[in-house]
């Protein structure tokens, strides 16, 4: 009997120690599914938030596993900022369920899906897996049109102010400051990108829809036969043949994608490959949203075949 | 009224023009507002087209089509592991073509506080079986979660993983011998996730005890209990891991087995230690990855074994075993894997010579190799070879398997 009491005491003491040792912080914990949203949260939240990015630019956001470390992070999040539109369908629902954090469940203020605040391009007309790994709601890679960032920044500020009303004024000030700089930058980018208008390019995956739409560039061929299905040599042969009839000035590849299919095509056509950062951290220089677009435009302008 | 509107428009116009002169930066704001209006117009257009709002309220349905062609040297009807009392449906399966483990899964959020899942499967005997029918809480505070209904116990690493996620056609020998492949039962589970950066989870379960290895005594309402602990995390950006320790305590009364020659009454305590380590360059497993996985089982039976028609004898015996496997993804759609299995079973004495408990001095072992190809995330073909010495007479087993998934997107579980 004495032994049991002692054990219970020890258990209670260790649990108490565990709770005491936990950092009690007033800052808002934000779980960002992708680095672009982590960067946006940093712009809007400033000192008031602590943000964690679940993925890096080297990882394919479609193919993440619900790792233990991600469950642990989601458990402590006050806000989850994700792309939505089924981009994270393979892992986010599992994370949310395993973490069982009531604050960030879908439908709660702490669950923010960026794609709900912009209109999506390329909504499939035929919902059939024979079309590949399609997204029913439309193309989710929305962050590469800076006007979308503007809209998402506004909506995200409102969400952050709802969750953390004490710092609402600070978030709104940060937003105004960010948007002022952002609008100036958009003007600069758009002036600079005039030369890229109507330029035909080959893409690897449907990751560039919004970038091409914004800059008015043309996608003339895609290396993936269907979204999410890697190209076979036979399919690349077809792409090669199609390029006999129409020209392309560049092959766009994201940092996380395999460069092999693009290299295959480059060797046979001489069309230059442009490795674009795609998101924050996709190249050393692309360390915030401004630099991401600076770098993307710079790569495009220096990389395309004249 | 008209005048008022005109006045408003005029005043708005003057405000816009003056501010335009005042701050060039605000021009951008107006631009943004104009785009927002266009955006809203677009959204209005799309909202007027009929959407499938009805369909989105339906639960997610996914159908797993699984089947195989198998070829063995031995007759699988004679399958037995010397010293192990195997339950039903634990043999290497039918030779030739079969549809084993075709599953229908229906799941979804019930409301903002509950999630539910229902899984039904076609068994090797061509019967429909309800594998899972459970409810899970989503909104409990402080990291607590409760699950109730019929579900796979959280013990070990592979126990709760559905057949279509397995890396091999069959379960490791420890699961086959000590859990009848997988332990699922009707019951309740409580779990708590610690608020730490290291993943740390504790939990416990209580089950009715109506499926193997449990066999609930008629005067008890709960036939088995479990406790589990899991921890895990990342090491750098390329490595991630999870380790677990679990305990299953069951009470059995007249637990019969497939052979039908002995039955057990007493306590069966099982301890499982598991480790999974995954590596992918920069954490991107779409091209290359390496996964190491190993589990150790230790089971102690204390009670009485009845040799049917030949009296009851007390038994206190220990059985253990382990497996280790390595899965290597060497191309975006190709994986290969190796697995080694081993059991060691304490002899129960000469009283049991000639029964299922007779180890015949044999150490059950198995080596498996597999190669699989996935055209997309939804389809997979697998070739597997086993050199199976879990039998008294070694067997060579070949499997060709397909796993196809239709409907809702599956989970990328760790």
């Amino acid at each position: 009997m004495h032994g049991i009491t002692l054990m219970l005491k020890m258990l209670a003491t260790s649990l108490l120690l565990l709770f005491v040792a936990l950092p009690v912080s007033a800052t808002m914990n934000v779980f960002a599914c992708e680095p672009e949203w982590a960067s946006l949260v940093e712009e809007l939240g400033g000192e008031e938030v602590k943000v964690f990015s679940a993925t890096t630019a080297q990882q394919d956001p479609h193919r993440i596993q619900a790792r233990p470390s991600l469950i642990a992070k989601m458990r402590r999040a006050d806000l989850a900022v994700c792309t939505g539109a089924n981009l994270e369908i393979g892992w986010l629902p599992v994370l949310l369920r395993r973490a069982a954090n009531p604050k960030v469940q879908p439908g709660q203020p702490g669950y923010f899906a960026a794609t709900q605040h912009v209109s999506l391009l390329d909504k499939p007309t035929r919902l059939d897996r024979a079309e590949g790994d399609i997204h029913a709601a439309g193309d989710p890679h929305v962050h590469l049109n800076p006007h979308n960032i503007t809209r998402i920044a506004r909506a995200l500020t409102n969400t952050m102010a709802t969750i953390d009303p004490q710092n609402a004024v600070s978030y709104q000030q940060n937003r105004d400051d960010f948007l002022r700089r952002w609008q100036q930058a958009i003007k600069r980018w758009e002036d600079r990108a005039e030369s890229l208008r109507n330029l035909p390019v080959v893409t690897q995956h449907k990751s560039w829809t919004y970038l091409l739409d914004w800059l008015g560039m043309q996608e003339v061929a895609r290396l993936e036969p269907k979204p999410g299905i890697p190209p076979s040599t036979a399919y690349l042969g077809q792409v090669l043949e199609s390029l006999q009839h129409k020209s392309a000035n560049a092959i766009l590849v994201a940092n996380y994608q395999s460069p092999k299919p693009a290299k295959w095509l480059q060797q046979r056509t001489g069309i230059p490959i442009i490795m674009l950062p795609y998101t924050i951290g996709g190249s050393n220089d692309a360390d915030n949203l401004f630099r991401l677009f600076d770098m993307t435009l710079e790569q495009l302008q220096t990389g395309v075949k004249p | 009224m008209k005048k008022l509107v005109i006045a408003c428009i005029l005043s708005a116009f003057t405000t816009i023009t003056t501010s335009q002169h005042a701050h060039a930066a605000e021009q951008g704001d107006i631009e943004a507002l104009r785009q927002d209006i266009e955006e809203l117009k677009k959204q209005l257009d799309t909202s007027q087209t009929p959407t499938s709002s009805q369909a989105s309220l339906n639960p997610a349905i996914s159908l797993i089509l699984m089947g195989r062609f198998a070829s063995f040297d031995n007759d699988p009807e004679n399958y037995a592991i010397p010293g192990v009392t195997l339950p039903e449906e634990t043999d290497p399966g039918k030779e030739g073509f079969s549809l084993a483990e075709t599953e229908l899964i229906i799941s979804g959020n019930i409301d903002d506080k509950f999630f539910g899942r229902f899984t039904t499967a076609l068994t090797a005997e061509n019967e429909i079986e309800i594998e899972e029918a459970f409810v899970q809480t989503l909104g409990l505070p402080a990291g607590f979660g409760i699950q109730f209904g019929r579900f796979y116990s959280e013990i070990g690493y592979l126990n709760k993983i559905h057949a279509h996620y397995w890396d091999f056609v069959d379960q490791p020998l420890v699961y086959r011998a000590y859990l009848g492949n997988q332990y699922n039962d009707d019951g309740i589970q409580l779990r708590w996730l610690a608020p730490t950066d290291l993943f740390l989870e504790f939990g416990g379960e209580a089950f009715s005890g109506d499926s193997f290895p449990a066999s609930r005594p008629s005067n008890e309402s709960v036939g088995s209990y479990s406790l589990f602990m899991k921890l895990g995390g990342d090491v750098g950006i390329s490595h991630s891991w999870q380790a677990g320790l679990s305990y299953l305590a069951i009470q059995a009364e007249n637990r019969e087995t497939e052979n039908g020659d002995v039955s057990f009454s007493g306590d069966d305590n099982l301890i499982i230690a598991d480790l999974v380590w995954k590596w992918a360059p920069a954490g991107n497993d779409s091209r290359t990855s390496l996964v190491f996985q190993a589990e150790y089982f230790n089971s102690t039976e204390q009670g009485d074994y009845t040799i049917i028609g030949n009296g009851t004898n007390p038994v206190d015996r220990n059985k253990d075993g382990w497996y280790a496997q390595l899965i290597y993804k060497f191309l975006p759609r190709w994986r290969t894997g190796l697995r080694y299995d081993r059991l060691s079973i304490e002899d129960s004495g000469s009283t049991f010579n000639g029964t299922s408990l007779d180890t015949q001095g044999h150490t059950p072992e198995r080596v498996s190799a597999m190669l699989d190809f996935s055209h997309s995330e939804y389809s997979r073909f697998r070739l597997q070879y086993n050199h199976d010495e879990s039998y008294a007479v070694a067997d060579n087993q070949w499997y060709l398997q397909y796993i196809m998934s239709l409907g809702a997107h599956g989970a990328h579980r760790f």
Side-chain angles (χ1 to χ4, degrees):
Chain A
M1 199 58 215
H2 183 72
I4 290 172
T5 327
L6 189 72
M7 261 182 68
L8 280 174
K9 270 184 190 163
M10 276 169 65
L11 191 70
T13 320
S14 54
L15 276 177
L16 199 69
L17 278 173
L18 188 66
F19 278 110
V20 169
L22 295 172
V24 184
S25 61
T27 55
M28 174 160 69
N29 275 316
V30 183
F31 182 103
C33 284
E34 287 86 22
E36 58 268 23
W37 309 134
S39 184
L40 185 58
V41 170
E42 275 167 4
E43 295 278 0
L44 301 173
E47 301 285 296
E48 264 68 58
V49 300
K50 204 176 129 197
V51 59
F52 166 78
S53 176
T55 56
T56 72
Q58 281 71 41
Q59 298 167 347
D60 183 343
H62 301 88
R63 305 190 68 107
I64 302 300
Q65 287 185 345
R67 301 197 304 276
S69 62
L70 299 186
I71 299 170
K73 288 284 185 191
M74 190 64 99
R75 155 80 169 82
R76 295 168 68 192
D78 300 303
L79 169 64
V81 181
C82 295
T83 298
N86 286 356
L87 177 66
E88 301 102 346
I89 185 76
W91 50 284
L92 185 60
V94 194
L95 278 187
L96 290 169
R97 226 170 48 238
R98 288 291 306 276
N101 177 348
K103 288 188 215 164
V104 294
Q105 297 297 325
Q108 298 298 321
Y111 175 83
F112 182 90
T115 48
Q116 280 174 0
H117 303 278
V118 292
S119 54
L120 302 187
L121 298 172
D122 288 354
K123 241 171 238 183
T125 46
R126 208 167 77 93
L127 280 184
D128 187 338
R129 284 267 163 72
E131 300 298 323
D133 195 1
I134 49 170
H135 299 284
D139 190 325
H141 307 281
V142 294
H143 70 281
L144 286 175
N145 179 340
H147 295 292
N148 284 344
I149 298 283
T150 307
R151 295 184 190 105
I152 292 161
R154 291 212 182 100
L156 183 56
T157 309
N158 295 344
T159 298
M160 287 165 71
T162 312
I163 294 170
D164 183 14
Q166 277 188 331
N167 291 311
V169 175
S170 153
Y171 298 143
Q172 282 149 3
Q173 280 167 356
N174 291 344
R175 173 199 58 196
D176 292 344
D177 175 54
F178 169 71
L179 287 182
R180 191 161 44 245
R181 289 181 289 127
W182 193 247
Q183 296 311 331
Q184 285 165 0
I186 289 180
K187 179 132 193 355
R188 194 174 74 228
W189 293 325
E190 285 179 349
D191 288 346
R192 199 176 154 184
E194 206 41 55
S195 60
L196 297 170
R197 191 159 288 278
N198 294 323
L199 212 66
V201 290
V202 178
T203 64
Q204 170 120 2
H205 173 75
K206 270 175 67 68
S207 333
W208 311 107
T209 311
Y210 293 88
L211 182 74
L212 301 185
D213 179 59
W214 172 49
L215 298 176
M217 296 167 76
Q218 309 271 328
E219 185 192 62
V220 291
R222 201 182 296 142
L223 299 183
E224 279 185 351
K226 304 279 178 191
I229 295 178
S232 61
T233 317
Y235 183 77
L236 288 176
Q238 289 175 29
V239 175
L240 180 65
E241 198 165 329
S242 79
L243 288 172
Q244 308 288 323
H245 313 295
K246 49 195 172 188
S247 66
N249 293 51
I251 309 168
L252 305 189
V253 181
N255 188 289
Y256 69 81
Q257 290 158 345
S258 164
K260 275 187 193 158
K263 277 187 183 148
W264 188 95
L265 194 65
Q266 184 197 31
Q267 280 164 8
R268 283 156 184 83
T269 59
I271 304 172
I273 297 175
I274 305 182
M275 285 294 256
L276 292 178
Y278 178 73
T279 185
I280 317 297
S283 71
N284 287 342
D285 312 315
D287 52 3
N288 66 35
L289 283 166
F290 291 93
R291 305 275 293 155
L292 169 65
F293 281 93
D294 283 340
M295 288 304 123
T296 302
L297 284 174
E298 195 178 305
Q299 303 266 33
L300 280 174
Q301 282 177 322
T302 54
V304 290
K305 196 168 74 176
Chain B
M1 188 63 202
K2 218 174 188 178
K3 272 181 187 169
L4 189 73
V5 173
I6 291 168
C8 280
I9 291 173
L10 271 178
S11 68
F13 185 70
T14 43
T15 328
I16 288 167
T17 43
T18 45
S19 60
Q20 232 172 358
H21 290 298
H23 304 284
E26 282 184 16
Q27 217 169 3
D29 284 357
I30 292 160
E31 181 75 3
L33 281 171
R34 208 180 62 201
Q35 272 160 3
D36 272 7
I37 291 164
E38 271 168 24
E39 188 73 15
L40 283 169
K41 271 191 207 158
K42 264 193 231 169
Q43 281 178 1
L44 200 68
D45 287 346
T46 48
S47 67
Q48 275 161 353
T49 57
T51 53
S52 54
S53 58
Q54 193 59 48
S56 60
L57 280 178
N58 287 337
I61 297 174
S62 86
L63 177 70
I64 312 292
L65 295 177
M66 271 172 88
R68 66 194 193 190
F69 178 82
S71 167
F72 312 129
D73 284 356
N74 292 359
D75 181 356
E77 287 289 310
N78 301 331
Y79 185 74
I81 304 176
V84 173
T85 52
L86 282 175
E88 285 179 354
E89 291 175 35
T90 44
D91 51 46
K94 212 174 94 177
E95 271 205 281
F97 294 101
S98 65
L99 267 194
E101 289 294 344
T102 291
E103 283 188 346
L104 180 68
I105 305 160
I106 302 175
S107 67
N109 288 339
I110 295 161
D111 55 22
D112 58 329
K113 298 287 181 223
F114 300 101
F115 166 87
R117 181 156 73 201
F118 175 81
T119 307
T120 172
L122 188 69
T123 67
E125 265 80 44
N126 255 346
E127 287 163 351
I128 300 279
E129 190 181 84
I130 295 170
E131 286 193 338
E132 286 178 317
F134 69 80
V135 173
Q136 195 178 23
T137 60
L138 297 171
L140 289 189
F144 284 98
I146 294 176
Q147 182 171 311
F148 48 89
R150 177 175 302 173
F151 54 92
Y152 287 109
S153 168
E154 199 68 35
I155 55 168
Y157 173 73
L158 270 181
N159 190 64
K160 66 189 170 300
I161 293 182
H162 285 241
H164 57 274
Y165 287 121
W166 295 352
D167 295 318
F168 291 87
V169 173
D170 42 16
Q171 279 284 65
L173 289 179
V174 278
Y175 277 92
R176 178 182 281 180
Y178 302 146
L179 289 174
N181 281 338
Q182 277 174 294
Y183 179 51
N184 66 334
D185 207 340
D186 302 350
I188 186 162
Q189 177 192 76
L190 173 71
R191 54 211 283 172
W192 180 68
L193 184 59
T196 47
D197 266 350
L198 179 80
F199 172 79
L200 184 60
E201 189 179 51
F202 301 91
E205 296 160 322
F207 290 109
S208 79
D210 290 325
S211 74
F212 186 88
S215 173
R216 177 167 55 105
S218 47
N219 60 341
E220 297 280 348
S221 53
V222 173
S224 74
Y225 294 95
S226 82
L227 289 171
F228 58 86
M229 184 187 91
K230 291 172 197 297
L231 60 167
D234 292 344
V235 178
I237 191 75
S238 304
H239 299 261
S240 52
W241 61 279
Q242 183 184 299
L245 195 61
S246 29
Y247 173 68
L248 177 71
I250 66 132
Q251 284 181 292
E253 187 175 73
N254 298 325
R255 182 177 75 196
E256 289 183 5
T257 51
E258 193 167 31
N259 269 356
D261 62 336
V262 291
S263 88
F264 174 70
S265 295
D267 295 331
D268 190 348
N269 294 320
L270 179 67
I271 292 167
I272 307 173
D274 63 84
L275 175 71
V276 181
W277 193 284
K278 298 192 181 188
W279 170 83
N284 179 3
D285 69 355
S286 49
R287 275 173 270 168
T288 315
S289 71
L290 196 64
V291 179
F292 172 77
Q293 177 183 326
E295 292 186 72
Y296 169 76
F297 280 50
N298 189 313
S299 141
T300 310
E301 284 175 323
Q302 283 174 311
D304 299 303
Y305 261 103
T306 304
I307 305 173
I308 307 295
N310 201 5
T312 298
N313 295 283
V315 166
D316 182 351
R317 67 172 190 152
N318 186 269
K319 306 171 286 183
D320 69 356
W322 57 275
Y323 77 90
Q325 66 177 54
L326 201 60
I327 306 290
Y328 176 47
K329 184 175 194 170
F330 57 98
L331 279 171
R333 298 191 276 182
W334 290 87
R335 306 187 315 156
T336 183
L338 262 180
R339 178 180 68 187
Y340 176 74
D341 272 297
R342 188 186 177 93
L343 301 178
S344 100
I345 299 142
E346 204 172 59
D347 200 78
S348 314
S350 58
T351 336
F352 294 99
N353 280 357
T355 70
S356 300
L357 295 191
D358 185 356
T359 60
Q360 301 165 32
H362 181 72
T363 302
E365 272 183 297
R366 185 175 64 177
V367 180
S368 313
M370 77 88 189
L371 176 71
D372 68 22
F373 169 75
S374 309
H375 171 67
S376 70
E377 233 188 297
Y378 311 100
S379 64
R380 176 170 282 172
F381 292 94
R382 177 179 292 141
L383 176 69
Q384 182 178 328
Y385 166 74
N386 290 345
H387 180 74
D388 189 352
E389 290 183 40
S390 63
Y391 277 105
V393 182
D395 191 14
N396 292 303
Q397 301 160 345
W398 289 92
Y399 294 97
L400 194 57
Q401 186 191 30
Y402 63 85
I403 308 167
M404 306 281 153
S405 119
L406 287 83
H409 197 296
H412 302 167
R413 49 165 314 117
F414 184 82

